[in-house]
């Protein structure tokens, strides 16, 4: 199958690659770029394990084509920490025991990251709805909700110099 | 000025040993996208495998044409059973004493059965190529109902067993019959029924469900044709057993087979067995001399890897008029699908179903389980359960409710009257289990107080009296006992391998430590909790203790992680390995301090001379000495290995209570409250325990309220994606309240019993109990799961409840 050249900025770094038009974004990330953080749990947009951020929106990379990202900015879990400092959502999941097997976690983190920009001070109910596109089989969600609450609180703290 | 010497309490805190809610050591990699799951593995020259699967449930393979697929660029091979035959790998033994086809041999037995494999340059080409493999089938009549399967004229499912009258577990009565397994004392149980003042009976169906971990199954097999060794990365809950089986099947010496379970994205029993895909990838790697990756998709996972349950159960209780149970009888027809591939200890064809007498002092009991072949997916895993405990607890808890209803005794009261009492432990059940310890009444009262049970019953009575109440209120109560810690090798083995577990601890000269284990975590946080046990036993800070699992070339032999056996079995191995080290360390400390061992006390992290706090040696001091200046005649080093074969199972228990409100108009159920008290003995990391409980309750909620694997009469699985198969999201998942009591196991070195399956086993009947309770005033004694809105709405209509 003939390939198409695409340019995508991934975690702040420009990548130029030739991909088959049918290549899914999640395979492009995992196989071509070795970014294995985004996982594949269902291939049908139901589990959210493959969630990444494309141009400021949560996207399920298992049903999104790599060529659709030509010219886009993509953020994956590997780009979430800033110079080794964990993002508030990462810290939240760690502190509140928001993960067990860790398979859903990259998708959860990427969704939580975007969700908190859509709603910086959510109620528990809003978190439940805002994160409901991401399934977890291990944690029973309660601690994931706490993790998101932790991050929301942390992100609202005034930045100290 | 010298820094003040930290006191014992401060040192204890620094250890972060048992009892500390220590944050998880493993999280750093997961939250940064650095987990290492099977599908993340890449190897030079790696090829990809995909599987051609049967579209029909039962049929003869007339012809397979590979040519078109082989002609596609990038396709390296197409293999069928015919290609596996010369290697004698077209059939494999199952965990249950049966055999299963690796690739369909002349005949397919269930929909989505593996028929051929394709190996190609990448997964896209492999996916294209499986479409190009042409398979012609001659359809055969399909049998989906296990009762029909046992009819005299039923179609023969397993032609390979034609004429075999002896199965792995005794005589076969019929061509679709696998075994009949009896436990308990039939004559005594029958006598109890003959003499009973009251008897009740109930039929119930425990639906077929799927564990559905978020990561599907897969492997990367790499055979080195020059060295003759095989390395396989695999999603397995029991890597050592896989190595043994692979070696037995392939003829490659076990020492040349390396199985690695890297990070596993949830197991829940689904990753215990050996699936054809694994075997095929290994064969493909041997044939092609290159690494081969196979990772199944979600549809394949749901429809072709092992399911759970599928038990058609009849329960009966005999009792006195005031509700004291005198006898229990159980009859089960178990649908095992096309091959008996259940995960069960060898001697228990129906797992530990005979824990069916529950938390109750029942003098006479008998259970009989009949295993049957149908044209369904084979398997039968212990989904978050010790073999068949989930089904057993469901049955007894339902039956006790049914009896309470018949006698008009409150469901809490009838349990009080039948509990095994604290002073009866160790207690031997009518099925021969020796329960180690328990205190059910205390736990029950704690829960009833916490939720204001009396108040809830008053509220329910008021609602029932109000004809305009928009909801029916139900209260579910379950008081369960579990059997975990499989298992004592005198009674438990898998394929003849005793179910011990192991730990090897090595203290380094500078006082840090590494422990290697026979178990493998799938999210249970072993790296954290295991280190805590060592920290407490040896006085080394958890932080500097490394735990490694899952690599058969470095870890000692162990039976793996399932059925909540890690803490009760491997946890004990850790404690005992640590104690061996402790004993040697004490000798060294005595030598260093020039006193007798008897003159030393142990305090948190040091040996000190009795009566003189200033004379001591820490474990770190001892470690250095052990390597560099051991006492004369003593072997240097500080390490130990322990293989722990438990003397008995452990018996954690719990009391769960649920309050539900059912909408009279729609049948939708709101879980208003769910209160779970668990007693798992000694608690190592309360944070992790709570997390395990939340997870188990959520999976229980899914089973009770929405999961099923429906098939049509032709054997088509109606719903094998996450669009159809219910995995709850955050929106519908209830809020969980947890609580605990602590009744240590007397025979376990640290008193720990195991916890992660309890919330699953205990919650499922609690939901049913609550739903049925909402209908109980209408004379309803039982409703089958799943309690989804449609089914509950139908129950409302059937019982004349209108808005
Ligand atoms: S893999 Fe993309 S949503 Fe499940
Ligand atoms: S932590 Fe295992 S799926 Fe979420």
């Amino acid at each position: 199958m003939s390939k198409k050249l695409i340019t995508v900025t991934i975690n702040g770094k420009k990548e130029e690659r030739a991909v088959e038009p049918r290549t899914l974004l999640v395979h492009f990330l995992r196989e071509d770029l070795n970014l294995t953080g985004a996982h594949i749990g269902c291939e049908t947009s139901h589990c959210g394990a493959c969630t990444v951020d494309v141009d400021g929106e949560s996207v399920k990379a298992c049903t999104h084509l790599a060529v659709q990202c030509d010219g886009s900015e993509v953020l994956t879990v590997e780009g979430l920490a800033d110079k080794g400092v964990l993002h508030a959502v990462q810290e939240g999941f760690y502190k509140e025991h928001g993960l067990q097997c860790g398979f859903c976690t990259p998708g959860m983190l990427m969704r939580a990251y975007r969700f908190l920009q859509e709603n910086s001070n959510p109620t528990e109910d809003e978190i439940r709805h805002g994160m409901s596109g991401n399934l977890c089989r291990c944690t029973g969600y309660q601690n994931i909700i706490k993790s998101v609450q932790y991050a929301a609180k942390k992100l609202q703290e005034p930045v100290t110099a | 000025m010298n820094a003040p010497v930290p006191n014992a309490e401060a040192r204890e805190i620094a250890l972060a040993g048992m009892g500390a809610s220590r944050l998880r050591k493993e999280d750093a990699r997961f939250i940064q996208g650095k987990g290492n799951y099977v599908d993340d593995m890449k190897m030079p020259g790696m090829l990809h495998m995909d599987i051609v699967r049967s579209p029909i449930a039962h049929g003869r393979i007339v012809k397979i044409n590979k040519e078109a697929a082989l002609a596609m660029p990038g396709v390296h091979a197409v293999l069928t059973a015919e290609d596996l035959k010369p290697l004698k790998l077209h059939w494999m033994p199952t965990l249950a004493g049966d055999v299963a086809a690796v690739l369909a041999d002349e005949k397919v037995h269930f929909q989505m059965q593996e028929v051929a494999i394709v190996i190609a340059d990448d997964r896209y080409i492999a996916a294209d190529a499986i479409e190009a493999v042409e398979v012609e089938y001659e359809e055969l009549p399909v049998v989906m109902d296990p009762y029909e399967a046992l009819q005299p004229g039923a179609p023969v499912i397993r032609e390979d067993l034609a004429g075999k009258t002896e199965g792995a577990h005794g005589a076969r009565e019929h061509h679709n019959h696998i075994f009949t397994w009896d436990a308990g004392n039939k004559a005594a149980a029958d006598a109890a029924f003959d003499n009973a003042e009251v008897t009740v009976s109930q039929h119930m169906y425990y639906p077929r469900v799927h564990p559905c971990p978020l990561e599907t199954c897969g492997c990367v097999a790499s055979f080195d044709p020059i060295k003759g060794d095989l390395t396989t990365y695999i999603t397995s809950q029991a890597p050592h057993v896989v190595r043994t089986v692979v070696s037995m099947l392939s003829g490659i010496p076990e020492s040349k087979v390396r199985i690695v379970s890297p990070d596993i994205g949830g197991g829940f029993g689904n990753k215990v067995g050996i699936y054809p895909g694994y075997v095929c990838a290994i064969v493909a790697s041997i044939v092609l001399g290159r690494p081969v990756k196979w990772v199944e998709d979600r549809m394949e996972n749901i429809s072709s890897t092992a399911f759970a349950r599928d038990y058609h159960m009849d329960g009966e209780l005999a009792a006195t008029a005031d509700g004291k149970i005198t006898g229990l009888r159980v009859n089960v027809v178990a649908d095992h699908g096309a091959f008996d591939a259940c995960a069960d200890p060898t001697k228990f064809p129906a797992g530990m179903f005979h824990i069916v007498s529950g938390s109750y002092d029942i003098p006479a009991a008998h259970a009989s389980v009949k295993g049957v072949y149908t044209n369904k997916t084979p398997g039968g895993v212990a989904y978050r359960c010790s073999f068949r405990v989930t089904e057993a607890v469901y049955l007894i808890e339902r039956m006790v409710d049914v009896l309470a209803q018949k006698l008009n005794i409150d469901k809490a009261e009838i349990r009080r009257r039948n509990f095994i009492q604290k002073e009866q432990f160790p207690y031997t059940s009518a099925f021969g289990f020796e329960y180690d310890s328990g205190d059910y009444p205390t736990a029950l009262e704690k829960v009833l107080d916490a939720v204001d049970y009396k108040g809830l019953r008053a509220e329910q009575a008021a609602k029932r009296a109000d004809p305009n109440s928009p909801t029916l209120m139900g209260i579910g109560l379950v008081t369960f006992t579990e059997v975990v810690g499989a298992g004592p090798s005198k009674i438990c083995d898998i394929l003849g391998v005793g179910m011990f577990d192991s730990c090897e601890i090595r203290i380094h000269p500078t006082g840090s430590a590494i422990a290697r284990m026979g178990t493998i975590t799938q999210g249970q946080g072993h790296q954290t909790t295991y280190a805590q046990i060592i920290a407490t036993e040896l006085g080394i800070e958890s932080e500097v203790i490394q735990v490694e699992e899952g690599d058969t070339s470095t870890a000692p032999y162990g039976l793996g992680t399932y059925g909540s056996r890690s803490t009760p079995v491997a946890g004990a191995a850790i404690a005992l390995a640590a104690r061996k080290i402790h004993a040697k360390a004490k000798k060294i400390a005595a030598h260093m301090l020039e006193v007798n061992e008897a003159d030393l006390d142990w305090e948190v992290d040091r040996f000190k001379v009795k009566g003189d706090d200033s004379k001591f040696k820490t474990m770190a001091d001892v470690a250095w000495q052990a390597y560099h200046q051991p006492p004369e005649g003593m072997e240097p080093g500080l390490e130990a290995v322990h293989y722990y074969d438990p003397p008995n199972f452990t018996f954690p228990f719990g009391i769960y209570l649920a309050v539900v409100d059912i909408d009279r108009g729609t049948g939708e159920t709101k879980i208003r409250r769910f209160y779970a008290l668990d007693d798992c003995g000694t608690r190592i990391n309360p944070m992790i325990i709570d997390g395990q409980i939340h997870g188990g309750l959520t999976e229980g909620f899914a089973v009770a309220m929405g999961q099923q694997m429906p098939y049509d009469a032709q054997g088509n699985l109606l719903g094998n994606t996450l669009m159809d198969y219910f995995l709850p999201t955050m929106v519908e998942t209830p809020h969980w309240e947890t609580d605990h009591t602590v009744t240590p196991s007397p025979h376990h070195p640290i008193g720990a019993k195991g916890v992660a399956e309890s919330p699953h086993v205990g919650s499922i009947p609690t939901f049913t109990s609550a739903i049925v309770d909402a209908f109980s005033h209408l004379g309803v004694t039982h409703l089958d799961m799943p309690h989804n809105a449609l089914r509950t709405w139908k129950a409302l209509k059937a019982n004349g409840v209108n808005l």
Side-chain angles (χ1 to χ4, degrees):
Chain A
M1 199 172 281
S2 68
K3 295 197 171 182
K4 186 174 167 0
L5 198 66
I6 59 168
T7 309
V8 194
T9 305
I10 294 182
N11 300 331
K13 196 169 149 238
K14 218 173 222 173
E15 300 279 358
E16 205 179 63
R17 298 284 159 124
V19 295
E20 281 186 27
R22 64 176 176 173
T23 302
L24 295 169
L25 175 58
V26 71
H27 290 140
F28 175 62
L29 293 170
R30 292 176 51 81
E31 319 245 310
D32 294 3
L33 301 176
N34 278 322
L35 294 170
T36 52
H39 296 141
I40 305 170
C42 71
E43 310 97 358
T44 49
S45 291
H46 285 88
C47 75
C50 63
T51 305
V52 295
D53 205 76
V54 180
D55 295 332
E57 275 186 44
S58 296
V59 157
K60 288 179 170 165
C62 68
T63 40
H64 202 79
L65 298 168
V67 289
Q68 284 174 276
C69 296
D70 192 13
S72 293
E73 297 245 359
V74 176
L75 183 71
T76 73
V77 69
E78 288 91 346
L80 208 47
D82 186 16
K83 296 188 195 79
V85 179
L86 294 182
H87 188 274
V89 294
Q90 291 173 304
E91 194 180 306
F93 274 71
Y94 172 56
K95 290 270 169 73
E96 298 293 346
H97 189 29
L99 60 149
Q100 288 179 20
C101 78
F103 197 78
C104 69
T105 311
M108 285 282 177
L109 290 167
M110 293 316 293
R111 179 57 200 145
Y113 163 81
R114 179 52 52 198
F115 171 68
L116 289 176
Q117 289 171 53
E118 293 161 355
N119 182 349
S120 61
N121 191 18
T123 62
E124 177 177 335
D125 207 47
E126 285 166 347
I127 295 174
R128 284 183 186 263
H129 279 90
M131 300 279 300
S132 64
N134 291 64
L135 299 176
C136 175
R137 287 295 281 156
C138 304
T139 64
Y141 301 117
Q142 207 145 307
N143 288 342
I144 293 183
I145 294 162
K146 282 188 173 161
S147 307
V148 177
Q149 286 167 333
Y150 176 102
K153 198 156 161 256
K154 170 130 201 215
L155 288 169
Q156 287 172 65
E157 279 167 11
V159 186
T160 45
Chain B
M1 210 179 89
N2 287 337
V5 181
N7 62 20
E9 204 183 328
R11 295 189 333 256
E12 181 105 46
I13 291 168
L15 284 186
M18 288 201 282
S21 278
R22 178 184 180 228
L23 294 180
R24 295 204 326 168
K25 215 177 159 66
E26 36 276 86
D27 290 354
R29 64 178 187 277
F30 296 132
I31 56 175
Q32 298 184 73
K34 297 289 181 220
N36 187 24
Y37 302 90
V38 165
D39 197 19
D40 301 341
M41 306 301 303
K42 273 186 190 171
M43 288 189 175
M46 188 175 80
L47 300 172
H48 294 259
M49 181 185 109
D50 209 339
I51 302 179
V52 179
R53 294 177 179 277
S54 171
I56 59 169
H58 201 191
R60 226 169 285 289
I61 298 175
V62 180
K63 201 163 81 202
I64 302 180
N65 185 350
K66 314 172 176 180
E67 298 315 313
L70 277 171
M72 294 172 70
V75 173
H76 292 256
V78 179
L79 304 178
T80 66
E82 294 307 312
D83 302 298
L84 267 47
K85 255 179 207 168
L87 304 165
K88 296 201 178 58
L89 282 174
H90 55 311
W91 287 79
M92 63 177 182
T94 70
L95 292 178
D98 196 356
V99 287
V102 174
L103 288 174
D105 182 19
E106 295 173 19
K107 182 174 147 160
V108 290
H109 295 81
F110 61 96
Q111 191 183 47
M112 294 286 276
Q113 185 177 348
E114 299 80 1
V115 174
I117 53 167
V118 167
I119 301 100
D121 279 336
D122 70 35
R123 64 176 85 209
Y124 286 66
I125 299 172
D128 285 345
I130 60 168
E131 299 295 323
V133 176
E134 294 157 20
V135 187
E136 202 182 304
Y137 300 95
E138 176 198 323
E139 293 201 36
L140 294 168
V142 170
V143 200
M144 297 307 284
D145 180 297
Y147 291 95
E148 278 169 26
L150 291 178
Q151 292 301 313
V156 179
I157 296 171
R158 291 288 298 278
E159 286 168 10
D160 60 302
L161 300 179
K164 266 190 97 178
T165 51
E166 272 304 303
H169 305 288
R172 297 175 70 222
E173 304 159 0
H174 180 278
H175 53 261
N176 293 330
H177 173 252
I178 309 172
F179 63 81
T180 298
W181 184 55
D182 287 299
N185 184 332
K186 184 155 181 357
D190 288 347
F193 278 82
D194 290 344
N195 300 321
E197 289 171 5
V198 197
T199 63
V200 286
S201 67
Q202 183 69 53
H203 179 77
M204 56 192 91
Y205 174 52
Y206 202 131
R208 179 174 272 236
V209 296
H210 195 273
C212 221
L214 203 55
E215 179 204 37
T216 58
C217 296
C219 72
V220 179
S222 176
F223 179 71
D224 183 330
I226 309 292
K227 292 193 204 143
D229 47 16
L230 171 74
T231 300
T232 303
Y233 294 85
I234 189 168
T235 49
S236 175
Q237 298 180 232
H240 286 280
V241 186
V242 172
R243 183 183 60 178
T244 300
V245 173
V246 165
S247 171
M248 279 158 49
L249 285 179
S250 67
I252 304 172
E254 207 163 343
S255 51
K256 280 183 170 285
V257 180
R258 177 179 172 216
I259 302 290
V260 184
S261 271
D263 289 328
I264 304 288
F268 317 122
N270 190 226
K271 292 169 181 166
V272 172
I274 296 183
Y275 297 118
Y278 300 150
V279 180
C280 288
I282 290 171
V283 172
S285 179
I286 293 173
V287 170
L288 297 170
R290 288 174 66 174
V292 173
K293 178 189 275 187
W294 167 67
V295 175
E296 65 186 6
D297 66 27
R298 178 56 60 189
M299 284 170 74
E300 293 178 294
N301 177 251
I302 296 181
S303 45
S304 75
T305 64
F307 69 94
R309 324 284 149 75
D310 219 343
Y311 262 36
H312 301 257
M313 311 194 277
D314 282 292
E316 293 175 276
L317 286 179
T320 62
D322 59 359
K324 179 80 192 77
I325 301 167
T326 53
L328 164 71
R329 280 195 303 221
V330 182
N331 269 295
V332 175
V333 170
D335 185 342
H336 284 211
F339 308 109
D340 187 14
C342 279
D344 283 321
T346 312
K347 298 179 190 78
F348 305 136
M352 295 182 208
F353 185 75
H354 48 326
I355 189 77
V356 68
S357 53
S359 314
Y360 313 108
D361 184 14
I362 302 179
H366 177 251
S368 171
V369 183
K370 204 174 262 205
V372 181
Y373 290 122
T374 61
N375 288 117
K376 290 186 194 166
T377 308
V381 292
Y383 170 22
R384 212 163 182 149
C385 130
S386 289
F387 307 104
R388 306 279 94 76
V389 180
T390 315
E391 293 89 327
V393 168
Y394 188 81
L395 182 126
I396 186 65
E397 290 303 306
R398 291 306 310 124
M399 291 314 301
V400 173
D401 274 11
V402 170
L403 179 66
Q405 238 171 297
K406 165 132 185 184
L407 295 174
N408 203 17
I409 299 173
D410 183 84
K411 58 172 88 171
E413 178 54 28
I414 200 160
R415 286 173 164 83
R416 263 186 214 115
R417 288 184 198 174
N418 286 290
F419 274 152
I420 302 162
Q421 296 302 313
K422 201 174 161 188
E423 53 285 356
Q424 286 175 276
F425 292 95
Y427 169 87
T428 304
S429 79
F431 289 109
F433 282 113
E434 190 187 292
Y435 291 30
D436 55 355
S437 63
D439 181 358
Y440 308 138
T442 304
L444 177 64
E445 298 317 318
K446 198 172 178 200
V447 170
L448 298 180
D449 282 351
V451 300
D452 182 19
Y453 185 69
K454 276 208 184 94
L456 287 170
R457 282 286 176 216
E459 182 192 343
Q460 184 185 44
K463 283 211 166 120
R464 282 182 178 167
D466 172 9
N468 296 320
S469 169
T471 54
L472 296 186
M473 176 179 165
I475 302 168
L477 179 69
V478 154
T479 58
F480 66 92
T481 294
E482 265 258 61
V483 54
V484 311
S489 64
K490 58 182 185 229
I491 40 174
C492 264
D493 65 75
I494 282 194
L495 292 175
V497 183
M499 295 184 72
F500 55 84
D501 231 295
S502 58
C503 169
E504 177 195 292
I505 304 174
R506 190 170 300 171
I507 314 290
H508 303 132
T510 50
S512 66
I514 183 160
R516 294 197 169 96
M517 309 293 307
T519 48
I520 168 74
T521 182
Q522 307 106 39
Q524 294 93 336
H526 288 178
Q527 291 190 358
T528 308
T529 29
Y530 287 172
Q532 290 179 259
I533 301 174
I534 299 171
T536 295
E537 293 285 343
L538 291 181
I540 299 171
E541 290 184 11
S542 287
E543 207 44 47
V544 298
I545 301 167
Q546 190 66 24
V547 173
E548 271 186 19
E549 297 179 292
D551 185 340
T552 58
S553 66
T554 54
Y557 202 102
L559 270 275
T561 293
Y562 41 87
S564 285
R565 66 188 298 282
S566 293
T567 302
V569 189
I574 297 172
L576 295 177
R579 286 174 197 177
K580 288 179 184 170
I581 291 175
H582 199 276
K584 180 171 179 182
K586 192 172 187 183
K587 287 192 170 53
I588 298 171
H591 169 76
M592 291 168 85
L593 292 161
E594 296 178 347
V595 294
N596 284 323
E597 274 187 70
D599 295 328
L600 291 178
D601 278 335
W602 170 254
E603 186 190 88
V604 186
D605 60 351
R606 61 193 56 185
F607 296 98
K608 59 181 199 183
V609 176
K610 282 195 168 120
D612 184 351
D613 278 1
S614 69
K615 284 199 179 145
F616 65 85
K617 292 292 168 194
T618 64
M619 190 53 88
D621 300 332
V622 171
W624 185 265
Q625 188 90 9
Y627 283 90
H628 305 300
Q629 272 183 304
E632 216 178 294
M634 186 186 275
E635 186 184 353
L638 200 55
E639 59 185 63
V641 54
H642 192 91
Y643 286 81
Y644 181 75
D645 186 2
N648 188 8
F649 299 102
T650 55
F651 295 80
F653 60 93
I655 317 284
Y656 290 0
L657 188 138
V659 185
V660 303
D661 296 303
I662 299 172
D663 188 299
R664 290 167 63 126
T666 65
E668 270 166 300
T669 299
K670 194 169 160 285
I671 313 297
R672 191 202 306 178
R673 209 165 170 193
F674 198 103
Y675 198 93
L677 178 145
D678 274 281
D679 191 321
C680 59
T682 304
R683 292 156 60 84
I684 301 165
N685 184 321
M687 176 194 83
I688 287 180
I689 291 174
D690 263 0
Q692 294 285 302
I693 291 169
H694 292 169
L697 293 173
T698 304
E699 291 193 353
F701 168 73
V703 168
M705 305 306 287
Q707 285 182 345
Q708 54 181 340
M709 301 184 71
Y711 288 87
D712 69 12
Q714 279 69 51
N716 299 303
L717 178 51
L718 308 172
N720 52 7
T721 69
L722 297 190
M723 204 160 2
D724 315 280
Y725 190 67
F726 175 61
L727 300 188
T729 76
M730 266 182 224
V731 172
E732 52 274 359
T733 301
H735 176 81
W736 309 116
E737 296 172 74
T738 57
D739 194 355
H740 63 273
T741 53
V742 177
T743 311
S745 170
H747 65 76
H748 188 275
I750 58 173
K753 290 184 170 185
V755 75
E757 65 187 54
S758 288
H760 189 73
V761 168
S763 66
I764 296 165
T766 313
F767 289 110
T768 302
S769 173
I771 302 275
V772 174
D773 190 68
F775 286 86
S776 60
H777 59 301
L778 306 168
V780 174
T781 56
H782 177 72
L783 293 166
D784 275 333
M785 297 181 283
H787 307 294
N788 59 33
L790 175 64
R791 292 165 63 102
T792 309
W793 178 81
K794 284 185 179 163
L796 289 167
K797 296 292 138 194
N799 288 286
V801 180
N802 292 302
L803 255 190

